[in-house]
């Protein structure tokens, strides 16, 4: 992460990671631009269906999708809930709801194969893709720098013990798992709930466990978001609440029992900061203590994910536009996103960013059937969650003083209807000779990788603290980075 300073005359040190415009942390001033949220584009149909007997009519992307660039293969660790009364079909399955972690692979991220792993028995056969029993909400972290036996790390909720709690394990291949001897972890309170995602900030050497907890806000017990941190994946800090409901979350309510709360959060490192997808649960009805169907939740209402952001993983802000980052479909549509169970992070295998999500064709409290849970996919252009946009009268965005590495300045922007130029300034705001707006070759196309050039210069000045001044005319700018010899 870049180091942030409150003094606008002190330099903000950043590396070669992408810098987004989700917040104003590195912006000194802007004029004539608006910040725009870009919802993901959904595929028309889900990409993974519950089509196996052990999947119980529902599959969830509480879990991880990983793209292995070396093998060019997508891998997914996902969740099913076979439901109550099926323990006899799977020897060793203990928890009454029947949560199981499953595994699948894909060459394109769209068509998935469910391999016969032979690890667990179901209906008298081991020809299935069952990975683990009695686990919920798995995050799998691939740590290339770790010992080969611990290349894969998993954190999940564990239903199998007398004391429920979070569970951590390691694996050499992501298939055969060995638990650490510290389990359960993070169990210092009965407020803890079973949803967790973990982010690894490799630069800071820290793991961040984002999980939901019960808390009293406005007289209601609500699902809220907390974080714990660790440097070794085994010893964790005390939980700290980071996102709680506010008045805007309850602005829609009409009845006393109605409220807004959070169904979990995926917090992840993206470029020079953290982003998060926050599933906001509008509780229309609360039927706790009343009779509902055997496979039915006592809470009903829609769930939509909003964008949140942080510079350090601990202090989080809601994005100003609380529109859904993945739009919700109409009633009965397969990729409806009526309930978003977030994976721990999106993936960016090419020129776009993909996020898988759980799509359910009813609201949260719908009965089974007709309720069905599937896994769907949404996508954005690379870095395309938020842009700064200028119209025909033009706009200017100027950064705070930046300490930048040596290399080429690369901008992600759509200037196909206008232009974008970059001016380099000294830390005190004076234009550097040879790097003025007029000497910049204007960008007039749409690309995630515009290399900025000034006359004969195609690289940044070496060992200088700079301000970047972006001049936009009918253009959208998503972010920038410095491309060095190491990350080209």
């Amino acid at each position: 992460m870049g180091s942030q300073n409150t003094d606008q005359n002190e330099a903000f040190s950043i590396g070669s990671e992408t810098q987004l415009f989700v917040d104003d942390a590195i912006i000194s001033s802007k004029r004539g631009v608006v910040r725009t949220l870009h919802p993901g584009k959904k595929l028309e149909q889900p990409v993974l269906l519950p089509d196996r007997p052990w999947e119980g009519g529902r599959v969830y992307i509480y879990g991880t999708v990983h793209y292995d660039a070396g093998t060019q293969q997508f891998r997914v660790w996902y969740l099913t809930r076979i439901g109550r009364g099926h323990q006899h079909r799977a020897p060793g399955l203990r928890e009454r709801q029947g949560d199981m972690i499953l595994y699948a692979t894909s060459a394109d991220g769209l068509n998935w194969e469910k391999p016969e792993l032979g690890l667990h028995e179901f209906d008298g056969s081991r020809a299935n893709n069952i990975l683990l029993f009695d686990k919920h909400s798995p995050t799998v972290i691939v740590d290339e720098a770790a010992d080969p036996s611990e290349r894969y790390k998993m954190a999940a909720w564990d239903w199998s013990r007398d004391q429920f709690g979070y569970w951590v394990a390691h694996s050499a291949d992501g298939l055969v798992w060995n638990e650490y001897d510290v389990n359960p972890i993070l169990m210092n309170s009965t407020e803890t709930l079973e949803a967790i995602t973990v982010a690894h900030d490799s630069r800071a050497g820290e793991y961040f466990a984002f999980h939901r907890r019960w808390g009293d806000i406005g007289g209601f017990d609500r699902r809220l978001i907390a974080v714990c941190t660790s440097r070794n994946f085994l010893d964790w800090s005390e939980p700290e609440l980071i996102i709680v409901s506010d008045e805007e979350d309850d602005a829609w309510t009409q009845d006393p029992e109605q409220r807004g709360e959070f169904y979990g959060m995926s917090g992840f490192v993206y470029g020079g900061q953290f982003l998060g997808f926050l599933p906001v649960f509008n509780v229309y009805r609360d039927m706790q203590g009343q009779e509902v169907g055997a496979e039915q939740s006592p809470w009903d209402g829609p769930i939509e994910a909003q964008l949140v952001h942080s510079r350090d993983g601990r202090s989080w802000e809601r994005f100003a536009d609380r529109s859904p980052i993945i739009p919700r479909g109409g009633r009965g549509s397969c990729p409806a996103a009526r309930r978003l169970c977030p994976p721990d992070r999106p993936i960016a295998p090419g020129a776009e960013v993909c996020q898988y999500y759980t799509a359910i064709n009813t609201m949260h409290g719908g009965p089974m059937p007709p309720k069905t849970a599937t896994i769907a996919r949404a996508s954005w252009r690379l870095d395309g969650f938020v842009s700064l946009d200028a119209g025909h009268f033009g706009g200017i965005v100027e950064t705070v003083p930046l300490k930048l590495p040596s290399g080429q300045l690369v901008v992600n922007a759509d200037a196909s209807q206008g232009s974008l130029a970059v001016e380099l300034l000294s830390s005190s705001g004076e234009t550097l000779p040879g790097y003025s707006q007029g000497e910049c070759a204007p960008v007039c196309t749409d690309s995630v990788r515009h290399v900025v050039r000034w006359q004969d210069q195609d690289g940044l000045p070496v060992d200088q603290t700079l301000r970047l001044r972006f001049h936009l005319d009918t253009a959208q700018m998503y972010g920038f980075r410095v491309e060095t010899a190491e990350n080209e």
Side-chain angles (χ1 to χ4, degrees):
M1 301 296 145
S3 59
Q4 187 173 354
N5 297 285
T6 55
D7 188 341
Q8 290 286 302
N9 293 318
E10 293 185 20
F12 191 110
S13 180
I14 64 176
S16 58
E17 64 274 5
T18 298
Q19 302 299 314
L20 304 179
F21 295 112
V22 174
D23 59 21
D24 284 340
I26 62 171
I27 296 176
S28 172
S29 63
K30 57 184 187 293
R31 184 174 72 250
V33 297
V34 293
R35 183 175 274 121
T36 303
L37 179 75
H38 297 277
K41 296 180 181 179
K42 302 189 300 181
L43 296 177
E44 290 296 323
Q45 297 298 325
V47 297
L48 204 152
L49 301 170
D51 55 8
R52 301 293 192 272
W54 52 88
E55 289 177 329
R58 44 186 165 172
V59 290
Y60 305 91
I61 192 60
Y62 280 112
T64 292
V65 180
H66 172 67
Y67 178 70
D68 189 322
T71 63
Q72 296 186 339
Q73 183 185 60
F74 294 80
R75 307 177 72 185
V76 62
W77 293 262
Y78 65 107
L79 177 75
T80 188
R81 175 166 285 179
I82 188 65
R84 301 177 184 180
H86 294 277
Q87 285 80 358
H88 65 282
R89 304 176 68 184
L93 182 63
R94 173 178 175 180
E95 197 271 319
R96 62 176 183 164
Q97 297 186 89
D99 283 2
M100 297 183 287
I101 296 175
L102 308 179
Y103 175 77
T105 62
S106 174
D108 59 7
L110 302 174
N111 301 286
W112 292 87
E113 297 180 3
K114 302 175 182 180
E116 296 179 359
L117 300 177
L119 299 175
H120 296 280
E121 184 178 316
F122 189 89
D123 283 348
S125 171
R126 289 180 176 267
N128 58 64
N129 65 331
I130 299 173
L131 204 62
L132 293 165
F133 284 156
D134 301 316
K135 302 295 185 289
H136 183 90
S137 187
T139 289
V140 175
I141 291 174
V142 183
D143 187 354
E144 302 289 356
D147 183 277
S149 66
E150 300 185 18
R151 181 170 182 255
Y152 296 85
K153 294 180 174 66
M154 180 185 288
W157 181 265
D158 186 8
W159 294 110
S160 67
R161 302 172 186 269
D162 292 334
Q163 181 188 23
F164 297 152
Y166 296 119
W167 175 91
V168 287
H170 61 90
S171 171
D173 59 4
L175 299 178
V176 178
W177 292 89
N178 301 286
E179 67 173 296
Y180 291 107
D181 60 8
V182 297
N183 293 313
I185 62 169
L186 308 186
M187 281 307 300
N188 65 340
S189 171
T190 57
E191 297 172 352
T192 306
L193 280 159
E194 74 276 15
I196 184 173
T197 64
V198 179
H200 184 208
D201 183 359
S202 58
R203 290 176 293 255
E206 281 190 294
Y207 298 93
F208 292 77
F210 303 104
H211 56 287
R212 67 186 185 199
R213 305 174 68 81
W214 289 113
D216 188 329
I217 301 293
F220 290 111
D221 268 343
R222 309 188 194 217
R223 299 168 177 88
L224 310 174
I225 306 301
V227 67
C228 298
T229 61
S230 173
R231 291 197 171 273
N232 61 8
F233 207 66
L234 305 177
D235 305 302
W236 294 85
S237 66
E238 291 294 308
E240 178 183 353
L241 284 178
I242 53 173
I243 302 182
V244 300
S245 304
D246 59 22
E247 292 183 358
E248 190 172 340
D249 291 312
D250 289 347
W252 59 272
T253 61
Q254 295 180 338
D255 298 330
E257 67 176 15
Q258 294 179 334
R259 59 192 181 272
E261 52 188 53
F262 312 123
Y263 213 73
M265 187 182 88
S266 59
F268 49 92
V269 176
Y270 194 104
Q273 64 186 111
F274 285 81
L275 299 179
F277 289 169
L278 179 72
V280 178
F281 184 12
N282 287 340
V283 181
Y284 287 178
R285 293 290 305 277
D286 185 344
M287 301 289 286
Q288 285 188 93
Q290 303 179 50
E291 186 174 345
V292 296
E295 297 296 333
Q296 197 171 358
S297 170
W299 299 279
D300 199 19
I303 299 178
E304 296 178 326
Q306 298 174 3
L307 183 66
V308 293
H309 54 95
S310 170
R311 284 282 163 173
D312 61 6
R314 294 173 172 85
S315 300
W316 286 81
E317 297 181 28
R318 311 278 291 275
F319 189 69
D321 182 350
R322 296 192 182 183
S323 302
I325 189 67
I326 299 178
R328 177 160 52 106
R331 179 177 298 274
S333 61
C334 286
R338 287 187 175 276
R339 176 180 180 184
L340 184 71
C341 308
D344 58 298
R345 59 189 179 272
I347 57 174
E352 65 177 8
V353 180
C354 303
Q355 177 77 321
Y356 293 81
Y357 63 93
T358 301
I360 291 181
N361 58 341
T362 71
M363 288 196 289
H364 180 270
M368 293 189 64
K371 182 178 179 180
T372 301
T374 62
I375 296 175
R377 193 175 87 162
S379 63
W380 298 255
R381 67 182 288 147
L382 190 67
D383 313 330
F385 305 116
V386 172
S387 65
L388 292 178
D389 305 346
H392 292 286
F393 295 129
I396 296 176
V397 179
E398 184 176 313
T399 70
V400 300
L402 302 174
K403 290 182 178 179
L404 299 167
S406 175
Q408 293 182 318
L409 180 65
V410 176
V411 178
N412 184 339
D414 180 359
S416 58
Q417 303 300 313
S419 66
L420 181 151
V422 184
E423 180 180 2
L424 299 189
L425 314 176
S426 68
S427 59
S428 59
E430 298 174 345
T431 301
L432 298 185
Y435 293 93
S436 67
Q437 177 187 2
E439 292 166 298
C440 179
V443 169
C444 299
T445 57
D446 181 6
S447 174
V448 299
R449 187 184 175 275
H450 295 287
V451 178
V452 181
R453 294 180 170 85
W454 299 265
Q455 291 187 344
D456 297 328
Q457 302 287 339
D458 61 359
L460 296 171
V462 179
D463 297 328
Q464 293 193 46
T465 298
L466 305 171
R467 293 176 184 262
L468 307 180
R469 181 181 288 165
F470 299 92
H471 297 266
L472 292 82
D473 179 0
T474 319
Q476 295 181 311
M477 182 170 60
Y478 296 87
F480 70 90
R481 63 187 175 91
V482 177
E483 193 171 83
T484 66
E486 290 75 19
N487 74 351
E488 184 175 356

